Structure formats: structure tokens, C-alpha cells
Tab-separated table of all heavy atoms in Angstrom:
chain	number	residue	atom	x	y	z
A	70	ALA	N	0.824	-1.186	-0.001
A	70	ALA	CA	0.003	0.001	0.003
A	70	ALA	C	0.868	1.252	0.001
A	70	ALA	O	1.911	1.300	0.649
A	70	ALA	CB	-0.911	0.002	1.214
A	71	GLN	N	0.435	2.247	-0.734
A	71	GLN	CA	1.082	3.545	-0.707
A	71	GLN	C	0.379	4.437	0.306
A	71	GLN	O	-0.839	4.594	0.256
A	71	GLN	CB	1.057	4.188	-2.087
A	71	GLN	CG	1.920	3.479	-3.108
A	71	GLN	CD	1.925	4.181	-4.447
A	71	GLN	OE1	0.864	4.544	-4.969
A	71	GLN	NE2	3.109	4.379	-5.000
A	72	VAL	N	1.154	5.005	1.202
A	72	VAL	CA	0.628	5.829	2.281
A	72	VAL	C	1.125	7.246	2.094
A	72	VAL	O	2.323	7.475	1.907
A	72	VAL	CB	1.064	5.289	3.646
A	72	VAL	CG1	0.486	6.153	4.774
A	72	VAL	CG2	0.647	3.834	3.813
A	73	VAL	N	0.219	8.203	2.148
A	73	VAL	CA	0.565	9.601	1.945
A	73	VAL	C	-0.026	10.423	3.080
A	73	VAL	O	-1.236	10.400	3.300
A	73	VAL	CB	0.048	10.119	0.594
A	73	VAL	CG1	0.429	11.593	0.432
A	73	VAL	CG2	0.615	9.299	-0.550
A	74	GLU	N	0.830	11.167	3.782
A	74	GLU	CA	0.384	12.053	4.837
A	74	GLU	C	0.801	13.479	4.519
A	74	GLU	O	1.770	13.708	3.781
A	74	GLU	CB	0.926	11.629	6.209
A	74	GLU	CG	2.442	11.739	6.375
A	74	GLU	CD	3.159	10.462	6.011
A	74	GLU	OE1	3.375	10.242	4.790
A	74	GLU	OE2	3.483	9.674	6.931
A	75	SER	N	0.084	14.422	5.084
A	75	SER	CA	0.367	15.821	4.860
A	75	SER	C	-0.203	16.642	5.997
A	75	SER	O	-0.907	16.124	6.865
A	75	SER	CB	-0.217	16.299	3.522
A	75	SER	OG	-1.627	16.187	3.517
A	76	GLY	N	0.106	17.917	6.001
A	76	GLY	CA	-0.462	18.846	6.969
A	76	GLY	C	0.518	19.398	7.974
A	76	GLY	O	0.142	20.256	8.782
A	77	GLY	N	1.758	18.942	7.950
A	77	GLY	CA	2.737	19.471	8.868
A	77	GLY	C	3.103	20.902	8.560
A	77	GLY	O	2.744	21.454	7.522
A	78	GLY	N	3.819	21.510	9.483
A	78	GLY	CA	4.236	22.880	9.298
A	78	GLY	C	4.850	23.438	10.562
A	78	GLY	O	5.148	22.706	11.508
A	79	LEU	N	5.040	24.739	10.549
A	79	LEU	CA	5.617	25.461	11.675
A	79	LEU	C	4.523	26.221	12.403
A	79	LEU	O	3.788	27.005	11.787
A	79	LEU	CB	6.690	26.439	11.177
A	79	LEU	CG	7.306	27.380	12.209
A	79	LEU	CD1	8.057	26.581	13.266
A	79	LEU	CD2	8.218	28.379	11.524
A	80	VAL	N	4.416	25.979	13.703
A	80	VAL	CA	3.420	26.669	14.513
A	80	VAL	C	4.056	27.108	15.824
A	80	VAL	O	5.074	26.552	16.257
A	80	VAL	CB	2.195	25.786	14.813
A	80	VAL	CG1	1.474	25.399	13.528
A	80	VAL	CG2	2.603	24.543	15.585
A	81	GLN	N	3.451	28.089	16.446
A	81	GLN	CA	3.904	28.526	17.753
A	81	GLN	C	3.319	27.653	18.843
A	81	GLN	O	2.272	27.011	18.657
A	81	GLN	CB	3.514	29.982	17.993
A	81	GLN	CG	4.268	30.983	17.136
A	81	GLN	CD	3.982	32.412	17.534
A	81	GLN	OE1	2.848	32.753	17.823
A	81	GLN	NE2	5.009	33.243	17.547
A	82	ALA	N	4.000	27.600	19.966
A	82	ALA	CA	3.492	26.848	21.104
A	82	ALA	C	2.074	27.286	21.432
A	82	ALA	O	1.765	28.469	21.441
A	82	ALA	CB	4.401	27.037	22.298
A	83	GLY	N	1.233	26.303	21.695
A	83	GLY	CA	-0.171	26.566	21.951
A	83	GLY	C	-1.040	26.508	20.726
A	83	GLY	O	-2.278	26.504	20.840
A	84	GLY	N	-0.436	26.433	19.561
A	84	GLY	CA	-1.174	26.394	18.318
A	84	GLY	C	-1.642	25.009	17.960
A	84	GLY	O	-1.460	24.041	18.715
A	85	SER	N	-2.230	24.900	16.780
A	85	SER	CA	-2.827	23.652	16.326
A	85	SER	C	-2.429	23.348	14.896
A	85	SER	O	-2.154	24.236	14.089
A	85	SER	CB	-4.356	23.738	16.400
A	85	SER	OG	-4.804	23.938	17.724
A	86	LEU	N	-2.413	22.075	14.583
A	86	LEU	CA	-2.250	21.587	13.226
A	86	LEU	C	-3.159	20.389	13.028
A	86	LEU	O	-3.509	19.702	14.003
A	86	LEU	CB	-0.810	21.160	12.948
A	86	LEU	CG	0.237	22.242	12.711
A	86	LEU	CD1	1.619	21.603	12.622
A	86	LEU	CD2	-0.066	23.027	11.441
A	87	ARG	N	-3.505	20.140	11.794
A	87	ARG	CA	-4.312	18.991	11.451
A	87	ARG	C	-3.625	18.199	10.350
A	87	ARG	O	-3.443	18.699	9.230
A	87	ARG	CB	-5.697	19.419	10.992
A	87	ARG	CG	-6.703	18.284	10.833
A	87	ARG	CD	-8.064	18.829	10.423
A	87	ARG	NE	-9.096	17.814	10.377
A	87	ARG	CZ	-9.856	17.447	11.402
A	87	ARG	NH1	-9.694	18.025	12.586
A	87	ARG	NH2	-10.780	16.508	11.258
A	88	LEU	N	-3.229	16.986	10.661
A	88	LEU	CA	-2.578	16.109	9.714
A	88	LEU	C	-3.597	15.205	9.067
A	88	LEU	O	-4.605	14.834	9.683
A	88	LEU	CB	-1.505	15.259	10.395
A	88	LEU	CG	-0.464	15.971	11.241
A	88	LEU	CD1	0.545	14.972	11.778
A	88	LEU	CD2	0.232	17.071	10.442
A	89	SER	N	-3.344	14.831	7.834
A	89	SER	CA	-4.219	13.905	7.127
A	89	SER	C	-3.402	12.797	6.495
A	89	SER	O	-2.216	12.953	6.209
A	89	SER	CB	-5.034	14.641	6.055
A	89	SER	OG	-4.204	15.146	5.036
A	90	CYS	N	-4.062	11.681	6.274
A	90	CYS	CA	-3.375	10.535	5.688
A	90	CYS	C	-4.375	9.667	4.951
A	90	CYS	O	-5.507	9.478	5.393
A	90	CYS	CB	-2.686	9.706	6.780
A	90	CYS	SG	-1.861	8.216	6.173
A	91	THR	N	-3.928	9.134	3.831
A	91	THR	CA	-4.705	8.148	3.118
A	91	THR	C	-3.761	7.095	2.583
A	91	THR	O	-2.553	7.332	2.438
A	91	THR	CB	-5.516	8.795	1.985
A	91	THR	OG1	-6.417	7.828	1.438
A	91	THR	CG2	-4.591	9.291	0.877
A	92	ALA	N	-4.281	5.928	2.305
A	92	ALA	CA	-3.476	4.832	1.803
A	92	ALA	C	-4.235	4.112	0.695
A	92	ALA	O	-5.452	3.955	0.776
A	92	ALA	CB	-3.123	3.863	2.922
A	93	SER	N	-3.504	3.704	-0.305
A	93	SER	CA	-4.119	2.897	-1.342
A	93	SER	C	-4.605	1.591	-0.747
A	93	SER	O	-3.937	1.003	0.115
A	93	SER	CB	-3.124	2.636	-2.483
A	93	SER	OG	-2.002	1.899	-2.023
A	94	GLY	N	-5.759	1.153	-1.187
A	94	GLY	CA	-6.324	-0.069	-0.664
A	94	GLY	C	-7.132	0.089	0.602
A	94	GLY	O	-7.477	-0.924	1.233
A	95	MET	N	-7.431	1.307	0.974
A	95	MET	CA	-8.276	1.547	2.151
A	95	MET	C	-9.562	0.748	2.050
A	95	MET	O	-10.064	0.499	0.941
A	95	MET	CB	-8.594	3.024	2.274
A	95	MET	CG	-7.411	3.890	2.647
A	95	MET	SD	-6.886	3.602	4.355
A	95	MET	CE	-8.219	4.438	5.235
A	96	PRO	N	-10.101	0.331	3.205
A	96	PRO	CA	-9.747	0.771	4.564
A	96	PRO	C	-8.659	-0.065	5.213
A	96	PRO	O	-8.501	-1.253	4.939
A	96	PRO	CB	-11.073	0.618	5.313
A	96	PRO	CG	-11.716	-0.564	4.655
A	96	PRO	CD	-11.355	-0.443	3.193
A	97	PHE	N	-7.914	0.562	6.074
A	97	PHE	CA	-6.960	-0.048	6.975
A	97	PHE	C	-7.168	0.523	8.368
A	97	PHE	O	-7.632	1.656	8.510
A	97	PHE	CB	-5.517	0.256	6.573
A	97	PHE	CG	-5.077	-0.375	5.295
A	97	PHE	CD1	-4.930	0.387	4.142
A	97	PHE	CD2	-4.751	-1.717	5.238
A	97	PHE	CE1	-4.503	-0.189	2.962
A	97	PHE	CE2	-4.318	-2.303	4.065
A	97	PHE	CZ	-4.198	-1.540	2.916
A	98	ASN	N	-6.775	-0.241	9.367
A	98	ASN	CA	-6.542	0.388	10.658
A	98	ASN	C	-5.363	1.333	10.497
A	98	ASN	O	-4.366	1.000	9.864
A	98	ASN	CB	-6.236	-0.657	11.723
A	98	ASN	CG	-7.422	-1.563	11.992
A	98	ASN	OD1	-8.567	-1.220	11.726
A	98	ASN	ND2	-7.144	-2.727	12.552
A	99	MET	N	-5.494	2.518	11.071
A	99	MET	CA	-4.520	3.576	10.809
A	99	MET	C	-3.948	4.112	12.109
A	99	MET	O	-4.657	4.259	13.103
A	99	MET	CB	-5.172	4.719	10.036
A	99	MET	CG	-5.830	4.299	8.727
A	99	MET	SD	-4.640	3.789	7.465
A	99	MET	CE	-3.956	5.389	7.005
A	100	GLY	N	-2.677	4.447	12.056
A	100	GLY	CA	-2.012	5.006	13.215
A	100	GLY	C	-1.058	6.106	12.843
A	100	GLY	O	-0.713	6.305	11.674
A	101	TRP	N	-0.658	6.842	13.858
A	101	TRP	CA	0.324	7.905	13.722
A	101	TRP	C	1.490	7.650	14.658
A	101	TRP	O	1.298	7.290	15.829
A	101	TRP	CB	-0.279	9.268	14.033
A	101	TRP	CG	-1.258	9.755	13.011
A	101	TRP	CD1	-2.612	9.610	13.025
A	101	TRP	CD2	-0.940	10.470	11.799
A	101	TRP	NE1	-3.167	10.181	11.919
A	101	TRP	CE2	-2.168	10.721	11.139
A	101	TRP	CE3	0.223	10.914	11.220
A	101	TRP	CZ2	-2.239	11.397	9.924
A	101	TRP	CZ3	0.157	11.592	10.013
A	101	TRP	CH2	-1.051	11.827	9.387
A	102	TYR	N	2.682	7.842	14.142
A	102	TYR	CA	3.911	7.781	14.907
A	102	TYR	C	4.680	9.079	14.703
A	102	TYR	O	4.400	9.825	13.758
A	102	TYR	CB	4.781	6.606	14.466
A	102	TYR	CG	4.270	5.251	14.876
A	102	TYR	CD1	3.174	4.677	14.242
A	102	TYR	CD2	4.897	4.520	15.888
A	102	TYR	CE1	2.711	3.423	14.607
A	102	TYR	CE2	4.444	3.272	16.258
A	102	TYR	CZ	3.353	2.727	15.610
A	102	TYR	OH	2.910	1.478	15.973
A	103	ARG	N	5.651	9.315	15.557
A	103	ARG	CA	6.524	10.460	15.368
A	103	ARG	C	7.939	10.089	15.762
A	103	ARG	O	8.169	9.183	16.557
A	103	ARG	CB	6.041	11.680	16.154
A	103	ARG	CG	6.064	11.509	17.662
A	103	ARG	CD	5.397	12.701	18.325
A	103	ARG	NE	5.434	12.625	19.772
A	103	ARG	CZ	4.822	13.476	20.579
A	103	ARG	NH1	4.106	14.492	20.068
A	103	ARG	NH2	4.912	13.338	21.897
A	104	GLN	N	8.890	10.827	15.193
A	104	GLN	CA	10.281	10.536	15.449
A	104	GLN	C	11.092	11.820	15.489
A	104	GLN	O	10.945	12.690	14.622
A	104	GLN	CB	10.853	9.594	14.391
A	104	GLN	CG	12.253	9.102	14.674
A	104	GLN	CD	12.683	8.012	13.715
A	104	GLN	OE1	12.254	7.984	12.566
A	104	GLN	NE2	13.530	7.114	14.190
A	105	VAL	N	11.952	11.902	16.478
A	105	VAL	CA	12.907	12.990	16.620
A	105	VAL	C	14.281	12.447	16.261
A	105	VAL	O	14.609	11.302	16.620
A	105	VAL	CB	12.903	13.535	18.060
A	105	VAL	CG1	13.959	14.620	18.239
A	105	VAL	CG2	11.527	14.071	18.421
A	106	PRO	N	15.112	13.219	15.571
A	106	PRO	CA	16.453	12.731	15.245
A	106	PRO	C	17.189	12.228	16.461
A	106	PRO	O	17.215	12.890	17.510
A	106	PRO	CB	17.125	13.963	14.644
A	106	PRO	CG	16.001	14.742	14.050
A	106	PRO	CD	14.851	14.550	14.993
A	107	GLY	N	17.783	11.049	16.341
A	107	GLY	CA	18.523	10.458	17.438
A	107	GLY	C	17.687	9.622	18.382
A	107	GLY	O	18.240	9.004	19.299
A	108	LYS	N	16.377	9.611	18.185
A	108	LYS	CA	15.502	8.832	19.035
A	108	LYS	C	14.679	7.868	18.193
A	108	LYS	O	14.528	8.050	16.982
A	108	LYS	CB	14.561	9.743	19.832
A	108	LYS	CG	15.274	10.671	20.793
A	108	LYS	CD	14.274	11.492	21.591
A	108	LYS	CE	14.983	12.399	22.570
A	108	LYS	NZ	13.999	13.204	23.351
A	109	GLU	N	14.169	6.856	18.849
A	109	GLU	CA	13.350	5.876	18.147
A	109	GLU	C	11.964	6.434	17.875
A	109	GLU	O	11.453	7.291	18.598
A	109	GLU	CB	13.242	4.586	18.947
A	109	GLU	CG	14.537	3.812	19.036
A	109	GLU	CD	14.340	2.406	19.535
A	109	GLU	OE1	13.258	2.111	20.093
A	109	GLU	OE2	15.251	1.584	19.358
A	110	ARG	N	11.373	5.921	16.828
A	110	ARG	CA	10.021	6.300	16.485
A	110	ARG	C	9.067	5.858	17.593
A	110	ARG	O	9.190	4.744	18.123
A	110	ARG	CB	9.646	5.642	15.152
A	110	ARG	CG	8.307	6.024	14.581
A	110	ARG	CD	8.215	5.554	13.141
A	110	ARG	NE	8.502	4.130	13.035
A	110	ARG	CZ	8.966	3.554	11.936
A	110	ARG	NH1	9.233	4.281	10.857
A	110	ARG	NH2	9.184	2.246	11.922
A	111	GLU	N	8.117	6.705	17.936
A	111	GLU	CA	7.190	6.395	19.005
A	111	GLU	C	5.746	6.504	18.544
A	111	GLU	O	5.399	7.325	17.694
A	111	GLU	CB	7.406	7.313	20.213
A	111	GLU	CG	7.103	8.767	19.954
A	111	GLU	CD	7.192	9.617	21.205
A	111	GLU	OE1	7.195	9.055	22.320
A	111	GLU	OE2	7.277	10.864	21.066
A	112	PHE	N	4.924	5.680	19.133
A	112	PHE	CA	3.499	5.672	18.834
A	112	PHE	C	2.829	6.922	19.369
A	112	PHE	O	3.119	7.363	20.481
A	112	PHE	CB	2.869	4.419	19.461
A	112	PHE	CG	1.374	4.401	19.389
A	112	PHE	CD1	0.719	4.102	18.207
A	112	PHE	CD2	0.613	4.667	20.507
A	112	PHE	CE1	-0.661	4.074	18.133
A	112	PHE	CE2	-0.758	4.637	20.465
A	112	PHE	CZ	-1.397	4.340	19.262
């Protein structure tokens, strides 16, 4: 499946963002992870 996410950007503390994601072959159970350089990806 091809997975495409978008919506990131630069915001000030206290602000908001809305990320979106879709994948070919939907539906799937879907999750979000994040990763900081030098650290492992986290749920």
C-alpha cells in the first residue's frame, strides 16, 4: 500500500495543526507515529 500524509508545518506553542493521511487499498486500521532525530520512532 502507498501511504501519503500531509499537513505538517511550523506553529507557535499553543497552536494547532491537522494532519491527514490516506493509503491505497483503504480501509486499513490507521495510526500515527513520530520521530525525533537520534530517538526511536514512538506511537
Side-chain angles (χ1 to χ4, degrees):
Q71 292 183 312
V72 181
V73 180
E74 66 268 81
S75 63
L79 174 64
V80 298
Q81 291 187 320
S85 298
L86 284 173
R87 190 178 185 88
L88 308 183
S89 65
C90 178
T91 189
S93 62
M95 291 290 286
F97 292 106
N98 294 338
M99 304 291 287
W101 290 94
Y102 288 74
R103 65 187 182 186
Q104 187 171 31
V105 177
K108 297 183 179 180
E109 291 193 345
R110 185 167 54 206
E111 65 174 344
F112 172 76

